[in-house]
Amino acid sequence: MTTAAKQIMPFEPVLLANIHKPDSHTLRVYEAGGGYQGLRKVLKEKTPTEFIEVVKSSNLRGRGGAGFPTGLKWSFLPKDHPGPVYMCINADESEPGTFNNRILMELDPHQVIEGIILSCYATKAVTAYLYIRVEYPTCYQRLQQAIDECYAANLLGKNIAGSDFSLDIFLHRGAAAYICGEETGLIESLEGKRAWPRIKPPFPAVEGVFRKPTVVNNIETAACVTQIAARGVEWFKSIGVPSDPNNPRDPGSYGPKLYCLSGHVNKPGCYEAPLGITCRQLIDEYGGGIWKGRKAKAAIPGGISMGLFTEAEFDTPLDFAGPGKVGCLGLGTAAVVVLDETVSMVDFLHNSCRFFAHESCGQCTPCREGTHWSLSMLERIKAGKGRLKDLDLLLEIGDTIGIIPGTTICGLSDGAAWPIKNAIRKFRPEFEEYIKRTNPTGYMVTEAVNALPVVALH
Amino acid sequence: MGVLTEEMIAAIKDFFPRYPTRQAVTLPALHIVNERLRYVPLEAVVEIAQLLELAPAQVQDTLSFYGYFKQDKPHGETRAWVCRSIACALRDGEQVLDHMCHVAGIHPGETTKDDKLTIEFAECLGACEYAPCMLAGDVLHKNLTNESAEAFVKQTCTGHGGNGQAGAKH
Amino acid sequence: MPKVIVDGIEVELAAGERINGIQAAQRAGVEIPHYCWHAGLTVVASCRMCLVETGSRNPDTGDVTMVPKLVPACQTPATPNTVFITNSEKVSNARAMVEEDLLIDHPIDCPICDKAGECNLQDYHFKYGQDQRRADIRPFTSRKREMGDTVTLFVDRCVMCTRCVRFTREISGTSELFVINRGSHEEIDVFPGYPLENRMSGNVVDLCPVGALGDKDFLYKQRVWFMRKHDGVCTGCSTGCSISVEENQDTVYRLKPRENPHINQWWMCDEGRYGYHHVHSDRRLTDVQRRDGVNWTLLEWSQVVREIDERFRNVGRVAVVLSPHLTVEEAYLLGKYAREVDPQAQVVLGPVPVEGTDETFKNGFTIRAEKAPNRRGVEEVVTHFMGQVATLDNLLISLANSEPTAVWVSGGYKSNWIDAAAADQIASAAACLVVHDTFDSPLTEKATYRLPEGTFAEREGSYVNFNERLQSVPWAIRPPAGVRVAGSVYLELLGEVGLYKARRVLVEVAERIVYFAAAAEPVGPLGVDLKTPVLEATPTA
């Protein structure tokens, strides 16, 4: 049983410490606040391998959605590979509800860049590609500006800060596809092809971009690396939820986390707190409570892929282990989107199915057809031609597509499945009521029915 | 000379040293052309393919995967992406989109007759704290209402104010 | 011996052998259904039809530990002690799911679709699919889209296995085909102005597991269940691809490549694939004729062979021209006959058509400029009789300086192979000229006896390709009335009775000519490498 989060208010922001300063995105302001000291220290005092051990011992888990231990991922790189090794930074943030990467890149790009340089030093990458979604033009400008400042200040390019380490960072813009946030989808897109995720093995650490060893890390993860270098492992581990002593495989949920809060709350925004605060705490103590004096009905715990909490489940800790205990996929991007009591779950699920059908890359059969079929059914249900049997079919799709059962190549379909499973299983009476009410003559039909005429959905 | 100008070709070639393969310059090349022409016609695809030593089919394969690049004709001077994902939908984003389209007299994906404005729907723009929101060029419009959306359409289509430039030049 | 276990059946692996789950299961006699995997293309594991359960068996204890999630068999290597389970409920549910998914948007075009009868989607549906349609139904038929001169795409039948795209990128290296759009809107297309026009284009139709890609040459011509298949060799060039000749009631409807790792892997070129129409041309010779002055007299096969034999013996000097389209056995028999009549008889190689230069594709497949299937084999037969390779040019020179000679010219060429000048030269030097060929030519105009010859589809026997590989194939169709294939004619010339059986002749050839020694043992469907050293046979009594 994980221990409850420590007192969260007040939590002195670390990742968001700079964002309210004027010109926070400039090198001048960043260094005035102590920026790049961590990097300089590590370059002088630690070998790359030693720094990998530092990050490993911090139990930092990736902030992009999967929560894989970062130091461990770095250690998968082959030891004696002639190289080159590549770092890909995943700034394709597209998970509905998520915007913390945007804030970091717009308002504190140097914190991110310092983390990238540190990560590349550790993994001996000589080139880093920062894959940034095309919908973030301000981030792109700010990052490019920051990178230019770094080159001018000998913090990028050859012999960084007088060390032996040299690094180039290049920005690479995407073109509005969610699947480019999947690590091998990103790699394929970077290589100039359609972003169809690769089968694994081989894993990117062995054969990644341009068939060379590659590490893909998230923006917030890079910022955490910066803070670990600056403040130390002990500081990092003093925050969050320790590993379960009864489970040797549990890496815990350490460190600060940027929680995104949006939807039907009074104060949507990005809030930094130790990992492990509960959904209710986030909504009440940071978010100003539910808007318009209403009650909450449900909340997405970590980006729409993770599924739904019912209001009764709002006391679940938002750490890597919590949401799974109430049938959600996981913490994901820790982006909480709140639904008040007036929201129709049919509308919610329709929105979710439409998103995943639009974003499915189309490579593998269960996801390509399953997301499309789910959307067809939700369209039909919304239009008043639903059947109770559709709910069973939707659950069957939800239970069978994904990398967890092994039926698909990547996790997009797990993300498509979880909202279906949670919405219908946790709110079934509402779905049944809607179907019966809107289709009183047809809701018990079990034979296949005609699809609605194909409307231009995309 | 084809569709690609000398300047575009030079800009594309600037990207060559960054990657070990030419194919990796596909997206940068598409963006370069798209920023200047507001679309990527088939002729441009052929010329890009030649520069990158690929078959036109390979470039078109990549291009058509993303819904981002128009190919039949240029999009409007301002391209407005209105988010329809969950956080914006919860705050009436879809109604605002409908209203905007109604005022502009077009469907999502279309351009107004004066070529000033294209309205598109977008999936999560990553600005959920300002839902519902819209990205027009480089400018993020926050907390949209029917009124603010309507004002935006009117400003854009009558040429008053340059609230949204069609893509920045990087 | 390293083993893998498939549904409890042990399969042995050769040391260092690298196969996947699908191939291991094949050896155990178990079918793992699949669409996107193909042994000649990269593995994408995207169709998800080959999902199986996998695990490993502890070699010491025999305990089996299974992995909880399904894996595609195509991307799972069959390493020693790997366990595959294909017959569990989990696996059948997964297969039923994929089948149902594919059928959601697949037009049920079977009654009008060429692929019916050899369609994976149909077959797998019957074996592994559900019997109830549950998904929203949208009846429609498939749109058609032209890919090029040889291939049509029925867009909506496509299951997105991407084999065709991978073929044009990895095998032909021409990259004409690609995928457009994303998700369930994906389709196959060609770039406007860049159609599918490489010379291996027909292979994509073989690869397509459903009726999406259609071969224009074959479209709507014949239902596959009416056709019989016969092993064959393509006679288009000296590559000698292994093929399958598919016919119904003695009409050839199509040629398809046959898998042969030694020659063509899984492929054949378009020239070969579509190069069978001459078999049913109405210009084929079908009458046996003898020229008497300016008139042509119709004869019967039952008389003419004996008549020619008598005349040849009367003339005394004999020369035979062996076409590179003849089989090894036929070439040998004609040479043997010539030497029986005239121990000094000239046995020469006929003209070898050469067009352009060799074209090699990205994966190494080569279409050769030498447009005949058996130059190597015929050359060796000629060498056996003459001590060295002798050609028609050599013959023309010697004919010019010798007494009147009876000349037999074998043909079987697909098209024009000799010009009027050369024809004149032969005719004027020949006391009696026999031309046994498929079509008229300047030479048949001048012949004394004009005999109708068979085509490759009617011929049984062996060919030797550019790489000294000998393949033996049966005949596929009976020749049209009036036509008699070389082998049976030569047998009659030699005074032997009975049905022509090429194998019997090949055994004799293998005994007499060292080059062919490896063919003494029965030749399997993939042929035999004649470069294989063979031990001296123990002399029989």
Side-chain angles (χ1 to χ4, degrees):
Chain A
M1 175 85 182
T2 52
T3 56
K6 300 182 175 45
Q7 176 67 34
I8 40 118
M9 292 282 272
F11 176 77
E12 188 64 35
V14 173
L15 299 171
L16 297 183
N18 291 332
I19 63 171
H20 297 297
K21 299 179 186 167
D23 296 331
S24 59
H25 59 283
T26 60
L27 180 59
R28 174 182 48 86
V29 171
Y30 186 66
E31 281 192 309
Y36 289 111
Q37 296 301 336
L39 171 65
R40 292 178 198 280
K41 201 152 159 260
V42 167
L43 286 176
K44 272 211 196 66
E45 299 174 11
K46 299 236 183 293
T47 66
T49 317
E50 284 166 352
F51 189 64
I52 292 184
E53 288 308 310
V54 166
V55 172
K56 247 174 142 171
S57 64
S58 75
N59 279 22
L60 166 65
R61 293 173 73 165
R63 301 305 200 230
F68 193 87
T70 305
L72 189 59
K73 195 190 245 187
W74 291 356
S75 71
F76 289 156
L77 289 164
K79 299 285 177 284
D80 296 316
H81 198 279
V85 175
Y86 292 104
M87 171 70 64
C88 290
I89 301 298
N90 190 341
D92 192 61
E93 180 171 73
S94 310
E95 180 71 38
T98 315
F99 47 94
N100 58 59
N101 287 180
R102 189 201 93 233
I103 288 175
L104 284 173
M105 289 189 280
E106 257 180 43
L107 301 175
D108 202 353
H110 279 287
Q111 183 186 200
V112 173
I113 290 172
E114 185 175 356
I116 296 175
I117 302 173
L118 283 161
S119 308
C120 290
Y121 176 69
T123 56
K124 303 193 186 148
V126 297
T127 310
Y129 296 104
L130 201 155
Y131 188 102
I132 177 168
R133 61 182 309 207
V134 74
E135 299 96 322
Y136 281 179
T138 308
C139 297
Y140 183 85
Q141 286 156 10
R142 295 267 170 96
L143 280 165
Q144 188 60 63
Q145 194 185 331
I147 288 171
D148 292 341
E149 287 182 309
C150 284
Y151 273 101
N154 186 225
L155 288 165
L156 276 176
K158 297 252 174 301
N159 302 113
I160 292 174
S163 72
D164 284 337
F165 177 57
S166 303
L167 176 69
D168 283 319
I169 299 182
F170 298 120
L171 299 184
H172 187 102
R173 275 185 298 170
Y178 170 76
I179 193 63
C180 295
E182 203 279 345
E183 69 174 353
T184 56
L186 186 154
I187 287 173
E188 287 286 300
S189 179
L190 184 57
E191 290 186 357
K193 300 177 250 173
R194 59 177 38 227
W196 276 5
R198 295 180 179 172
I199 54 176
K200 296 183 251 209
F203 289 85
V206 172
E207 215 180 281
V209 72
F210 311 122
R211 298 282 154 196
K212 298 286 186 228
T214 303
V215 170
V216 183
N217 275 153
N218 171 266
I219 290 281
E220 190 184 341
T221 310
C224 286
V225 170
T226 305
Q227 298 309 330
I228 290 170
R231 297 161 194 258
V233 172
E234 270 193 46
W235 159 81
F236 192 77
K237 285 178 107 156
S238 71
I239 304 166
V241 181
S243 354
D244 180 352
N246 296 327
N247 181 358
R249 280 159 154 226
D250 173 27
S253 298
Y254 291 105
K257 183 76 189 74
L258 297 182
Y259 289 94
C260 300
L261 182 61
S262 64
H264 294 161
V265 293
N266 283 315
K267 296 199 294 175
C270 179
Y271 301 109
E272 186 174 350
L275 265 169
I277 63 164
T278 69
C279 187
R280 200 180 304 283
Q281 283 172 316
L282 181 63
I283 292 171
D284 291 342
E285 292 172 44
Y286 287 87
I290 307 299
W291 73 344
K292 303 188 178 174
R294 295 187 187 154
K295 292 202 177 51
K297 181 172 186 178
I300 293 169
I304 203 169
S305 301
M306 298 298 119
L308 284 172
F309 284 163
T310 61
E311 196 279 341
E313 293 164 341
F314 276 14
D315 296 300
T316 310
L318 291 170
D319 59 22
F320 288 105
K325 297 199 167 93
V326 292
C328 293
L329 184 51
L331 180 63
T333 56
V336 175
V337 183
V338 182
L339 286 63
D340 74 22
E341 55 194 327
T342 66
V343 175
S344 158
M345 294 319 290
V346 175
D347 286 341
F348 164 78
L349 191 54
H350 175 264
N351 185 289
S352 175
C353 288
R354 184 179 65 187
F355 174 78
F356 287 106
H358 186 215
E359 298 293 347
S360 168
C361 83
Q363 189 183 188
C364 60
T365 310
C367 178
R368 179 181 73 241
E369 306 298 339
T371 56
H372 173 66
W373 189 9
S374 317
L375 178 59
S376 297
M377 285 197 271
L378 259 308
E379 294 262 309
R380 198 163 36 72
I381 290 172
K382 246 186 109 155
K385 295 200 184 330
R387 312 166 299 160
L388 292 180
K389 183 163 171 103
D390 294 333
L391 298 178
D392 298 327
L393 290 172
L394 282 162
L395 284 174
E396 193 180 316
I397 292 173
D399 285 335
T400 52
I401 64 175
I403 50 172
I404 291 174
T407 56
T408 58
I409 294 177
C410 84
L412 183 146
S413 40
D414 301 79
W418 244 266
I420 296 174
K421 295 197 282 188
N422 284 173
I424 295 178
R425 290 201 164 107
K426 296 184 182 182
F427 294 93
R428 185 152 189 147
E430 181 178 342
F431 280 95
E432 292 197 353
E433 187 277 332
Y434 181 92
I435 289 172
K436 286 180 182 164
R437 176 168 46 82
T438 56
N439 191 11
T441 55
Y443 70 84
M444 28 3 188
V445 170
T446 51
E447 290 87 44
V449 293
N450 286 336
L452 291 182
V454 177
V455 179
L457 300 170
H458 304 145
Chain B
M1 185 163 86
V3 170
L4 263 52
T5 62
E6 295 293 327
E7 184 268 326
M8 290 184 216
I9 294 173
I12 293 172
K13 286 184 172 171
D14 272 348
F15 277 82
F16 285 177
R18 300 186 177 198
Y19 310 92
T21 70
R22 291 272 176 102
Q23 189 167 31
V25 184
T26 302
L27 267 179
L30 291 172
H31 279 305
I32 286 169
V33 174
N34 191 54
E35 278 160 8
R36 289 145 178 79
L37 302 182
R38 305 212 299 266
Y39 75 137
V40 185
L42 292 176
E43 299 91 321
V45 173
V46 175
E47 291 171 33
I48 292 172
Q50 271 159 5
L51 264 180
L52 304 187
E53 293 169 4
L54 298 169
Q58 290 173 284
V59 178
Q60 185 70 4
D61 188 325
T62 301
L63 185 160
S64 70
F65 178 80
Y66 305 99
Y68 191 73
F69 303 101
K70 291 205 174 322
Q71 294 200 281
D72 47 357
K73 64 183 178 73
H75 62 69
E77 282 171 33
T78 300
R79 199 173 184 193
W81 298 88
V82 182
C83 178
R84 68 173 190 179
S85 291
I86 191 65
C88 288
L90 285 170
R91 285 183 172 236
D92 297 329
E94 302 209 53
Q95 284 87 309
V96 171
L97 172 63
D98 275 345
H99 184 72
M100 254 185 94
C101 286
H102 178 72
V103 168
I106 56 178
H107 294 116
E110 293 177 352
T111 305
T112 53
K113 278 210 179 53
D114 58 2
D115 283 338
K116 293 281 188 201
L117 175 65
T118 300
I119 300 178
E120 312 261 18
F121 56 74
E123 304 289 0
C124 184
L125 289 173
C128 319
E129 76 268 51
Y130 303 121
C133 54
M134 166 177 82
L135 183 66
D138 283 358
V139 178
L140 182 72
H141 295 257
K142 309 171 181 176
N143 303 117
L144 281 183
T145 58
N146 279 0
E147 292 74 31
S148 61
E150 186 164 339
F152 168 80
V153 171
K154 293 202 165 123
Q155 262 182 328
T156 312
C157 287
T158 55
H160 288 180
N163 254 6
Q165 298 306 311
K169 308 221 179 329
H170 295 134
Chain C
M1 285 229 66
K3 292 192 177 62
V4 295
I5 305 98
V6 181
D7 294 344
I9 303 168
E10 290 197 340
V11 173
E12 290 191 348
L13 304 167
E17 194 176 12
R18 301 171 64 151
I19 58 172
N20 66 16
I22 297 180
Q23 293 164 312
Q26 263 165 9
R27 289 198 197 168
V30 172
E31 178 196 53
I32 294 182
H34 56 279
Y35 293 98
C36 67
W37 178 73
H38 187 278
L41 302 171
T42 52
V43 176
V44 290
S46 61
C47 72
R48 311 313 277 187
M49 192 64 189
C50 70
L51 291 171
V52 292
E53 293 192 69
T54 188
S56 57
R57 183 176 71 178
N58 186 315
D60 304 315
T61 66
D63 288 339
V64 172
T65 333
M66 299 300 288
V67 171
K69 55 169 76 174
L70 296 163
V71 296
C74 64
Q75 71 171 92
T76 309
T79 49
N81 298 310
T82 307
V83 172
F84 292 98
I85 296 200
T86 77
N87 53 10
S88 67
E89 196 181 331
K90 225 174 172 182
V91 173
S92 19
N93 286 345
R95 289 174 181 174
M97 167 186 71
V98 173
E99 276 298 294
E100 181 171 37
D101 282 341
L102 291 175
L103 285 167
I104 286 175
D105 260 334
H106 187 91
I108 311 300
D109 278 352
C110 304
I112 56 169
C113 174
D114 256 26
K115 201 79 177 178
E118 54 181 16
C119 171
N120 279 4
L121 192 61
Q122 267 188 345
D123 295 343
Y124 295 159
H125 176 76
F126 278 109
K127 288 191 205 167
Y128 310 112
Q130 298 172 344
D131 60 358
Q132 293 275 333
R133 182 68 188 264
R134 304 188 301 172
D136 301 17
I137 300 174
R138 187 166 69 89
F140 66 109
T141 53
S142 186
R143 296 166 283 155
K144 252 176 105 161
R145 179 177 291 163
E146 297 309 305
M147 297 285 97
D149 287 334
T150 52
V151 177
T152 295
L153 172 68
F154 293 90
V155 184
D156 303 291
R157 297 180 191 161
C158 172
V159 295
M160 268 298 135
C161 74
T162 67
R163 279 178 169 190
C164 58
V165 174
R166 282 178 280 145
F167 176 86
T168 63
R169 290 183 180 166
E170 298 164 19
I171 307 296
S172 65
T174 48
S175 299
E176 299 107 320
L177 296 177
F178 69 104
V179 179
I180 55 171
N181 303 335
R182 185 172 77 212
S184 59
H185 302 283
E186 280 169 349
E187 295 171 3
I188 301 291
D189 207 345
V190 284
F191 194 86
Y194 291 77
L196 178 68
E197 57 182 7
N198 67 76
R199 290 167 71 199
M200 289 178 83
S201 65
N203 289 296
V204 300
V205 180
D206 298 337
L207 286 172
C208 184
V210 298
L213 289 170
D215 193 321
K216 288 187 182 181
D217 181 73
F218 180 68
L219 210 54
Y220 308 133
K221 295 227 173 91
Q222 184 64 233
R223 278 307 197 184
V224 303
W225 50 82
F226 291 135
M227 294 194 294
R228 283 187 304 188
K229 299 181 200 210
H230 308 273
D231 284 359
V233 172
C234 175
T235 56
C237 81
S238 56
T239 300
C241 295
S242 301
I243 63 173
S244 173
V245 181
E246 305 195 7
E247 55 88 16
N248 181 24
Q249 297 177 45
D250 297 317
T251 301
V252 176
Y253 285 97
R254 69 179 178 189
L255 305 182
K256 281 220 176 249
R258 218 176 1 114
E259 184 180 339
N260 189 335
H262 305 286
I263 303 178
N264 56 311
Q265 287 74 52
W266 301 269
W267 324 117
M268 72 187 291
C269 75
D270 291 349
E271 210 179 300
R273 182 187 295 269
Y274 306 122
Y276 66 89
H277 292 286
H278 65 286
V279 174
H280 300 299
S281 163
D282 54 13
R283 292 185 305 108
R284 279 186 72 170
L285 299 178
T286 52
D287 291 329
V288 177
Q289 292 174 322
R290 179 189 63 212
R291 184 156 52 82
D292 297 312
V294 295
N295 298 322
W296 288 95
T297 311
L298 280 179
L299 299 176
E300 299 286 332
W301 273 109
S302 50
Q303 329 154 242
V304 73
V305 177
R306 239 169 305 127
E307 184 178 311
I308 291 173
D309 177 45
E310 266 176 44
R311 279 191 68 163
F312 269 44
R313 287 179 195 276
N314 280 346
V315 172
R317 296 191 61 79
V318 171
V320 293
V321 179
L322 306 181
S323 154
H325 278 274
L326 287 182
T327 62
V328 168
E329 298 86 340
E330 287 162 346
Y332 172 75
L333 286 180
L334 188 56
K336 181 178 174 187
Y337 169 72
R339 283 294 169 90
E340 246 181 47
V341 175
D342 170 9
Q344 316 279 304
Q346 301 272 329
V347 178
V348 304
L349 173 66
V352 179
V354 173
E355 279 171 41
T357 52
D358 289 358
E359 182 179 352
T360 301
F361 294 85
K362 182 167 180 180
N363 74 324
F365 182 87
T366 304
I367 305 176
R368 293 191 154 75
E370 182 175 289
K371 303 295 183 194
N374 199 20
R375 175 185 58 87
R376 281 299 295 127
V378 174
E379 255 181 12
E380 290 294 330
V381 169
V382 164
T383 306
H384 166 74
F385 288 112
M386 303 286 283
Q388 61 186 14
V389 179
T391 65
L392 180 59
D393 289 336
N394 298 135
L395 177 64
L396 289 172
I397 292 170
S398 94
L399 280 182
N401 303 325
S402 67
E403 288 141 41
T405 309
V407 181
W408 181 300
V409 179
S410 62
Y413 294 87
K414 260 165 52 173
S415 52
N416 258 352
W417 58 280
I418 189 155
D419 60 29
D424 270 334
Q425 268 190 294
I426 302 174
S428 51
C432 170
L433 175 60
V434 175
V435 180
H436 187 196
D437 203 358
T438 329
F439 296 101
D440 264 329
S441 67
L443 194 59
T444 52
E445 303 291 307
K446 306 252 179 312
T448 318
Y449 289 90
R450 180 204 270 170
L451 308 177
E453 158 74 300
T455 62
F456 74 93
E458 299 137 16
R459 190 175 241 98
E460 79 176 51
S462 313
Y463 302 95
V464 181
N465 78 351
F466 77 101
N467 201 24
E468 334 285 348
R469 185 160 201 95
L470 179 141
Q471 298 181 80
S472 296
V473 290
W475 54 267
I477 59 172
R478 285 167 294 197
V483 173
R484 219 170 139 196
V485 182
S488 112
V489 175
Y490 303 163
L491 210 61
E492 192 184 337
L493 277 175
L494 285 164
E496 297 190 30
V497 297
L499 217 50
Y500 175 71
K501 283 286 175 210
R503 176 66 199 157
R504 199 184 50 71
V505 180
L506 186 61
V507 168
E508 184 181 328
V509 171
E511 280 169 13
R512 302 279 168 84
I513 310 181
V514 173
Y515 176 76
F516 295 99
E521 294 300 308
V523 178
L526 303 180
V528 64
D529 183 354
L530 293 179
K531 300 194 289 292
T532 315
V534 173
L535 294 174
E536 283 276 325
T538 326
T540 52

